[in-house]
Amino acid sequence: MSSKALQACIVYRQLLKAVRKHVGKENYKKHFVEYVTQEFKKNHDLSDVVSIQQKIKLARDYTLLLNSVHHHKDLLFSYNIAVDRSDEMKRVLGKSAASVGLRLPEPYQS
């Protein structure tokens, strides 16, 4: 396998992993994975090296963007900045109450 093909396989695997992790694996989200697969399959001809390199770079950049956006969102949640955390707080309160054998009062339940 040539180095370009190996590089394309690595980027393809990383992109699929990021899409499955951050977009989801549910059936109604299946078209994201299918689109990525189709794009990589239809561009398997390695004769146009410049175009292939650009597409590999684009796929790598999109993978980085996808991972970074979700990491940034997690940081916002952890720092409690400009994010509605009411659902998360209800879940935490419910777990805390359940750990001592209690239930939350009606106003806190969804």
Side-chain angles (χ1 to χ4, degrees), residues 42-87:
K42 82 176 182 183
N43 293 315
H44 70 283
D45 181 24
L46 297 176
S47 61
D48 187 11
V49 176
V50 175
S51 175
I52 296 298
Q53 287 176 342
Q54 289 173 344
K55 290 178 181 178
I56 288 173
K57 183 181 180 329
L58 181 65
R60 186 180 297 120
D61 290 346
Y62 184 71
T63 303
L64 180 64
L65 174 70
L66 196 58
N67 288 328
S68 297
V69 164
H70 285 276
H71 179 68
H72 184 254
K73 180 182 166 190
D74 291 341
L75 284 175
L76 287 177
F77 274 125
S78 70
Y79 293 138
N80 209 9
I81 298 174
V83 177
D84 181 26
R85 294 188 59 173
S86 60
D87 292 336

